[in-house]
Amino acid sequence: MVGSASASPRGEDTFPKILLHNAKVLGTRTAFREKDFGIWQSWTWSEVCEEIRAFSIGLKSLGIEAGDKVAIVGANRPRLYWSMVAAQAVGAVPVPVYSDSVAEEMAYVLGHAEVKFAVVEDQEQVDKLLSMSEEVPTLKDVIYDEMRGLRDYDHTHLHSYESLQNKGRELQAQNSSLSREWEEGFAGGKGDDVAVMLYTSGTTGRPKGVMLSFDNLAVSARNANVFDHLDETEEVLAYLPMAWIGDHVFSLAQAFTAGYCVNCPESIDTIDVDRREIAPTYFFAPPRVFEMLLTHIMVQMEDAGKTKRAMFDYFMKIARKVGEKILNGEDVDAKDRLLYRLGEFLVYGPLKNRMGLTRMKVGYTAGEAIGPEIFRFYRSLGLNLKQLYGQTEASVYITLQPDGEIFGDTVGKPAPDVELKIADNGEVMYRSPGVFVGYFKNDEATKETKTADGWVHTGDAGIIAENGHLKIIDRAKDVGKLTDGALFAPKYIENKLKFFPNIKEAVAFGHERDVVAVFLNIDLTAVGSWAERNNVNYASYQELAAHPDVYSMVESHVDQVNRDLSREPMMAGAQIRRFLILHKELDADDGELTRTQKVRRSFIADRYAPLIEALYDGSKTKHVRTEVTFEDGRKGAIEATVEIRDMEPHVPGKDYQEAAE
Amino acid sequence: MNAFATDMTAEPDGVPETAHSEELLRVDNVSLSFGGVKAITDISFDILKGEIRAIIGPNGAGKTSMLNVINGFYHPQEGTITWRGKERRKMKPYEAASQGIARTFQNVALFKGMTTLDNIMSGRSLKMHRNFFWQVIWRGPAEREEIEHRRKVEDIIDFLEIQAIRKTPVGRLPYGLQKRVELGRALAMEPDLLLLDEPMAGMNLEEKEDMSRFILDVNQEFGTTIALIEHDMGVVMDLSDRVVVLDYGKKIADGPPEEVQANQNVIDAYLGVSH
């Protein structure tokens, strides 16, 4: 292992050991907070250590053994994070699972992982697990956090978190050496033991269980802490799915190695308020969160009074002009600097406060490309928002944008200890201490992804620019060609479309076709607000999406994208010639998106085959019927007649010539 | 291997029948008329402690009047009401409330301009012991008392999963949520008997499912006895332990849901027959 050599000199190598260390060194500092009953409840590192110790001993009394898999299902709660470390302390491997996945998806993952125990949030998850006893025959005991509704269930193999923890405390009281034995149990743990198993969301095929070792996580986390100067004073908000590598690293690995405080929101609906109250110093969000925040502000500004709006517009102009330069430490003339400071007082400060980003030292966005306009908006406010590029298989970090070297179209330079190269077919490859151990029970896939000498195929096509920054173009296997040989990079086109606030989702088709055509989803918040202001009546998404005015508005966006594409020599041949607005929102429950909200292209192509056919046979409308799955698993169908519009392509490079003349 | 599957599938509401045997409320031969209009004629039934009792019937059958009689808003001309073994005569609604009967209304009855928190807090007013003077001073005992009440209210907010709208004025909330807040306000009284007048009227399927879950949970977690009027037969049949059916102010059936569903009188009342 690359990591094990460099891990030990930097500190403790497994999370249970780091926990003991933190309890000793940072004992009185707050480690976790959760808003419950309207109040932020907090636990210090030494309290967390006691909580985990008691629960872990309780787990042991259930007969848990080293190597057993423990499923963790639920929203971000301190107790669920603690369960992971409690399991690690007895040599078991936690397997966090997406709690909103439908029973079938979850059953596959739990069955594949052969989980023996599960720690879950509430009745909803308990019911889900009970329903899958056939697919998961290994499951022995289920432990839940919230009692509600479970009182009358048979508790032979069902336990409340509290009762198990109390049992752990009783056992400790009865036998004073138990506590020491517990510590000795993991003292011999090694950095290259498997720490956690995370299932990748699976844009293609079944999810795969990525095994990460303590070294993978601890070394990557420490590197990232050093890179962005993070220490025990940071505050983060844990609100992204626990099953996702990002949350695992930000809210557990980095939190433990740096010793900073993890704040769990009250509920999924209160995140905005909770973020404002906590004001995290280190903040991570996928682009859609930043998009949503911005959309929200813009919608509210539309409703604001004249003076406020004028002030906002004026100072945002100043911010666009000099904000980023000031953030990058470049020279700006004194007058602008003064105006910017006034703007900070009048507009930027209150805005940042509103978003809960006042104290943000560094923020990251990743997962997919962020719209350059959106990215610039936040940076111009003086927020140090940066992009990173990462993967589950890499323990997140592959490339990072260093402070002061922020370019909208690249994802930064290799993270510390990461080697990067581009394969002959254009695929990005890396080697780092964070490289995963392997896929669980899938050696074939491991071999396909990871070479013998530790290089990993990312599956993304990219180039390394002259300044050493990596630029991602698309998924390597998605890049295709039109029948006339023109390059077709679907994601590149889709992202351009999605940068318009009115467009939420886009799916482009064109590989081995004559022309490019797209499916679109409108953004109900943005377009709904527009409809309200323009007295457009609608009763549902479907009705709004089919409205002629909405179509014209979207048509102008598509035209703008075509104009952009026509300026790029590589992409000019792949302009959009036909588009339609789908009659329903793409939804993970219908399998159209992954749980991390990425489109599943091939699935959509199958499901909407008649619509794709219509895109290419020249028809103006098409009647379709689509089956949908409701959240409780029942099925229904929606029918609609979808309009298809034609687009005029722009002449390649024409705008350039005009500009030159 | 699958011991786990079989011994854990106990029905959540599989409470043994014997659990409800103590009578909480009894209505005997009650008749109510407004001038010449007879709203309720000679109705008798009982509500057992810990059960969910549904009152159903076609429009104008006298269901809401019946609830109004129970919580003392109307006074029947004939018949008796026995509450916890004691026969009671004319009683004002607030007296009924202080004795542990809470209700929600067919049309949401909340303070629209006040927040969710304040609305639920208002449900605690009967439990506030400090007088006006102390409330104004708001120091020492009054402050401690308010903190205690706030704690209870936060329990309810957590229970009903309405944390996100804690500080939102109720008038700005969608109808389904307003209904939930109203349930919260009724729960704040920590009632022994909760009267729900069409808790699911005007809700969509998802909101109905949520509300059903909450009603079951209230019944189970707090042991609150519930009497509800509802038009959605699916909900009634799933939730209730026993159903009483009214038609034109008369009781036409009383019993477990399956029995009532099969009763010819009930079928006639709902579908109509030629007289």
Side-chain angles (χ1 to χ4, degrees):
Chain A
M1 278 302 303
V2 191
S4 34
S6 55
S8 31
R10 301 189 199 199
E12 308 291 345
D13 54 0
T14 74
F15 295 119
K17 290 187 211 170
I18 295 172
L19 173 71
L20 284 187
H21 174 82
N22 285 356
K24 248 180 251 147
V25 181
L26 306 168
T28 55
R29 281 204 76 89
T30 305
F32 278 88
R33 262 192 223 112
E34 184 186 26
K35 196 172 182 188
D36 207 3
F37 302 116
I39 294 172
W40 286 99
Q41 324 273 348
S42 54
W43 293 265
T44 64
W45 277 108
S46 54
E47 282 164 351
V48 167
C49 185
E50 198 280 327
E51 293 270 349
I52 292 179
R53 185 195 308 262
F55 183 68
S56 188
I57 292 172
L59 263 183
K60 225 173 167 179
S61 74
L62 285 182
I64 195 169
E65 284 167 22
D68 285 352
K69 307 289 186 299
V70 182
I72 309 283
V73 197
N76 315 64
R77 294 187 161 201
R79 281 178 169 183
L80 294 185
Y81 286 108
W82 301 341
S83 301
M84 292 206 242
V85 182
Q88 289 169 343
V90 292
V93 179
V95 185
V97 186
Y98 286 98
S99 58
D100 63 344
S101 44
V102 289
E104 186 195 329
E105 270 173 44
M106 199 187 279
Y108 172 78
V109 168
L110 298 183
H112 184 264
E114 299 169 3
V115 297
K116 277 206 189 155
F117 299 87
V119 185
V120 306
E121 184 183 352
D122 56 12
Q123 185 189 12
E124 185 186 344
Q125 308 300 345
V126 170
D127 285 344
K128 232 185 250 177
L129 287 185
L130 291 187
S131 75
M132 48 183 84
S133 49
E134 244 165 64
E135 295 95 322
V136 196
T138 45
L139 186 60
K140 267 179 57 198
D141 292 85
V142 176
I143 298 137
Y144 59 82
D145 185 10
E146 193 146 327
M147 175 60 133
R148 170 141 171 226
L150 289 165
R151 217 167 281 278
D152 294 331
Y153 281 43
D154 181 342
H155 273 63
T156 332
H157 294 279
L158 191 63
H159 317 269
S160 81
Y161 184 96
E162 230 165 273
S163 71
L164 209 57
Q165 203 177 32
N166 287 338
K167 192 166 175 195
R169 290 193 175 113
E170 270 167 42
L171 289 171
Q172 279 183 79
Q174 284 163 17
N175 182 352
S176 54
S177 64
L178 206 59
S179 186
R180 204 188 58 242
E181 276 168 35
W182 177 75
E183 284 176 24
E184 283 165 5
F186 56 80
K190 292 187 303 292
D192 51 10
D193 292 344
V194 173
V196 67
M197 241 163 68
L198 298 168
Y199 277 78
T200 53
S201 53
T203 7
T204 48
R206 288 289 200 179
K208 286 176 287 203
V210 179
M211 297 185 285
L212 294 171
S213 70
F214 288 107
D215 279 343
N216 289 158
L217 291 164
V219 176
S220 304
R222 287 197 171 103
N223 279 342
N225 291 341
V226 171
F227 185 82
D228 280 308
H229 320 289
L230 304 175
D231 56 27
E232 71 276 8
T233 60
E234 312 306 330
E235 300 277 349
V236 301
L237 192 70
Y239 69 104
L240 293 160
M242 288 178 73
W244 180 60
I245 179 66
D247 183 69
H248 194 76
V249 167
F250 298 119
S251 308
L252 204 149
Q254 282 187 255
F256 271 60
T257 48
Y260 61 64
C261 178
V262 176
N263 299 281
C264 298
E266 186 164 25
S267 86
I268 195 96
D269 308 313
T270 59
I271 288 167
D272 285 334
V273 179
D274 296 338
R275 186 177 48 240
R276 197 147 66 227
E277 286 172 357
I278 288 299
T281 59
Y282 179 46
F283 181 60
F284 182 90
R288 63 180 56 231
V289 170
F290 288 108
E291 282 165 25
M292 243 166 45
L293 275 173
L294 178 59
T295 309
H296 207 73
I297 288 173
M298 288 308 181
V299 168
Q300 286 192 323
M301 281 321 296
E302 299 276 3
D303 294 337
K306 250 189 187 154
T307 340
K308 270 191 191 165
R309 220 167 38 219
M311 202 159 81
F312 176 78
D313 290 341
Y314 176 76
F315 282 108
M316 281 321 293
K317 216 190 292 164
I318 303 281
R320 266 194 299 276
K321 192 172 147 203
V322 297
E324 269 201 277
K325 285 184 187 163
I326 291 175
L327 187 63
N328 289 341
E330 292 167 33
D331 269 344
V332 174
D333 72 54
K335 186 187 146 213
D336 284 342
R337 200 175 278 273
L338 204 66
L339 277 173
Y340 186 79
R341 213 174 280 171
L342 186 64
E344 171 72 30
F345 178 72
L346 290 171
V347 175
Y348 321 140
L351 263 186
K352 283 187 272 193
N353 188 24
R354 187 86 210 141
M355 296 186 285
L357 302 177
T358 306
R359 295 199 293 168
M360 188 180 98
K361 245 163 62 174
V362 51
Y364 276 107
T365 177
E368 46 196 313
I370 187 168
E373 289 298 318
I374 298 162
F375 192 58
R376 227 168 284 143
F377 170 82
Y378 288 96
R379 287 192 57 81
S380 68
L381 291 181
L383 291 168
N384 189 16
L385 180 65
K386 307 196 282 184
Q387 297 191 68
L388 68 78
Y389 171 64
Q391 271 194 329
T392 309
E393 286 84 346
S395 310
V396 178
Y397 299 103
I398 299 174
T399 65
L400 289 161
Q401 291 182 325
D403 287 342
E405 291 182 52
I406 314 295
F407 309 102
D409 57 346
T410 69
V411 290
K413 285 180 170 172
D417 287 353
V418 176
E419 301 168 73
L420 200 65
K421 70 177 181 190
I422 305 290
D424 296 335
N425 63 351
E427 189 176 353
V428 179
M429 295 181 76
Y430 64 90
R431 184 161 69 176
S432 76
V435 167
F436 70 123
V437 179
Y439 295 117
F440 184 60
K441 295 200 299 189
N442 197 345
D443 290 337
E444 204 178 313
T446 309
K447 258 182 233 142
E448 273 171 30
T449 311
K450 192 167 127 178
T451 65
D453 50 356
W455 286 92
V456 180
H457 294 271
T458 58
D460 287 324
I463 46 170
I464 296 176
E466 278 165 21
N467 53 14
H469 284 242
L470 179 68
K471 182 176 183 174
I472 300 292
I473 304 173
D474 203 340
R475 295 290 298 171
K477 64 169 181 38
D478 283 343
V479 178
K481 283 203 160 67
L482 299 181
T483 41
D484 63 3
L487 186 72
F488 167 63
K491 202 152 178 202
Y492 193 76
I493 297 172
E494 288 160 10
N495 282 334
K496 276 192 179 297
L497 286 164
K498 279 158 65 180
F499 293 153
F500 293 96
N502 290 332
I503 298 178
K504 190 173 178 191
E505 232 27 280
V507 189
F509 303 96
H511 180 52
E512 290 171 353
R513 302 265 190 183
D514 297 337
V515 291
V516 176
V518 292
F519 286 175
L520 297 172
N521 259 181
I522 53 169
D523 187 300
L524 201 52
T525 320
V527 182
S529 153
W530 165 86
E532 208 172 287
R533 275 178 282 118
N534 292 280
N535 293 325
V536 173
N537 293 321
Y538 69 99
S540 62
Y541 173 87
Q542 192 179 337
E543 205 178 318
L544 187 62
H547 198 280
D549 289 354
V550 173
Y551 254 92
S552 324
M553 186 163 69
V554 170
E555 186 174 343
S556 70
H557 295 335
V558 175
D559 188 59
Q560 179 62 41
V561 169
N562 278 348
R563 184 171 301 136
D564 285 354
L565 288 170
S566 72
R567 288 177 193 152
E568 295 179 47
M570 297 272 286
M571 305 292 174
Q575 291 183 48
I576 301 159
R577 301 297 282 274
R578 278 165 76 77
F579 80 92
L580 62 82
I581 302 178
L582 278 177
H583 53 297
K584 78 175 270 294
E585 286 185 277
L586 296 176
D587 195 324
D589 284 345
D590 292 323
E592 294 159 339
L593 302 176
T594 66
R595 288 288 153 198
T596 45
Q597 308 287 316
K598 293 178 187 159
V599 296
R600 291 168 74 168
R601 203 175 299 283
S602 56
F603 182 86
I604 293 171
D606 278 352
R607 185 175 164 95
Y608 296 104
L611 281 180
I612 297 179
E613 205 177 289
L615 277 176
Y616 288 100
D617 68 8
S619 44
K620 289 285 175 202
T621 58
K622 176 83 183 172
H623 186 80
V624 281
R625 184 188 149 84
T626 312
E627 201 172 83
V628 291
T629 313
F630 296 109
E631 280 191 357
D632 60 359
R634 284 173 313 104
K635 295 198 189 300
I638 48 177
E639 286 184 59
T641 303
V642 179
E643 185 192 344
I644 301 169
R645 290 238 175 140
D646 287 294
M647 299 298 300
E648 267 309 306
H650 291 262
V651 180
K654 187 161 170 268
D655 283 353
Y656 265 164
Q657 288 169 8
E658 276 171 7
E661 285 160 13
Chain B
M1 183 61 238
N2 250 321
F4 180 64
T6 46
D7 58 17
M8 279 179 58
T9 39
E11 271 290 300
D13 50 354
V15 185
E17 288 302 315
T18 48
H20 319 305
S21 52
E22 197 188 327
E23 196 178 86
L24 187 68
L25 180 103
R26 168 159 203 91
V27 181
D28 282 305
N29 310 100
V30 161
S31 297
L32 174 75
S33 53
F34 303 102
V37 184
K38 279 209 142 187
I40 301 176
T41 319
D42 194 24
I43 288 184
S44 307
F45 67 90
D46 58 350
I47 298 175
L48 300 181
K49 200 167 178 184
E51 76 172 340
I52 299 183
R53 185 72 146 131
I55 303 174
I56 65 170
N59 286 329
K63 304 178 299 288
T64 301
S65 298
M66 196 65 237
L67 281 201
N68 284 338
V69 166
I70 292 175
N71 87 323
F73 190 65
Y74 291 157
H75 302 293
Q77 282 84 3
E78 282 166 54
T80 55
I81 298 162
T82 315
W83 169 244
R84 283 203 191 117
K86 260 194 225 152
E87 188 185 318
R88 75 167 211 224
R89 288 239 152 225
K90 297 206 171 178
M91 183 187 261
K92 300 233 163 57
Y94 75 83
E95 288 167 333
S98 63
Q99 287 186 16
I101 301 178
R103 79 173 286 184
T104 66
F105 297 85
Q106 203 168 339
N107 314 310
V108 175
L110 292 164
F111 302 103
K112 303 264 176 193
M114 277 163 42
T115 62
T116 299
L117 181 67
D118 290 339
N119 265 290
I120 300 180
M121 209 64 179
S122 73
R124 299 287 305 171
S125 57
L126 270 174
K127 306 244 169 208
M128 301 255 184
H129 298 303
R130 299 292 150 191
N131 60 24
F132 182 72
F133 171 77
W134 278 106
Q135 303 276 348
V136 171
I137 302 270
W138 204 67
R139 278 284 171 274
E143 189 183 3
R144 277 198 296 279
E145 189 181 27
E146 168 141 351
I147 289 173
E148 197 42 50
H149 287 305
R150 173 71 187 268
R151 194 164 286 150
K152 285 266 158 54
V153 170
E154 285 294 341
D155 275 343
I156 292 165
I157 289 178
D158 185 68
F159 184 84
L160 294 175
E161 293 164 10
I162 45 178
Q163 298 97 333
I165 54 163
R166 186 185 280 128
K167 304 245 165 109
T168 314
V170 165
R172 285 210 335 236
L173 296 174
Y175 185 69
L177 276 178
Q178 292 194 8
K179 282 260 180 191
R180 216 189 281 184
V181 175
E182 201 187 20
L183 176 61
R185 198 215 43 215
L187 284 179
M189 291 172 56
E190 299 177 61
D192 295 320
L193 176 62
L194 181 59
L195 309 175
L196 304 174
D197 197 348
E198 300 202 22
M200 289 162 223
M203 287 190 172
N204 65 28
L205 185 74
E206 206 183 322
E207 289 168 333
K208 275 184 188 171
E209 284 177 349
D210 282 350
M211 188 50 106
S212 304
R213 194 71 253 165
F214 287 125
I215 291 173
L216 280 175
D217 282 349
V218 166
N219 179 244
Q220 249 186 51
E221 294 283 306
F222 305 145
T224 311
T225 310
I226 293 169
L228 72 117
I229 296 177
E230 185 50 59
H231 276 299
D232 186 321
M233 283 306 125
V235 169
V236 169
M237 297 302 156
D238 280 353
L239 288 185
S240 47
D241 297 309
R242 292 191 306 154
V243 183
V244 52
V245 191
L246 308 184
D247 189 24
Y248 293 112
K250 296 198 182 76
K251 181 166 107 172
I252 56 169
D254 188 357
E258 321 71 70
E259 212 178 287
V260 164
Q261 217 167 3
N263 187 315
Q264 192 55 46
N265 286 339
V266 178
I267 297 170
D268 292 346
Y270 271 90
L271 299 181
V273 282
S274 50
H275 289 287

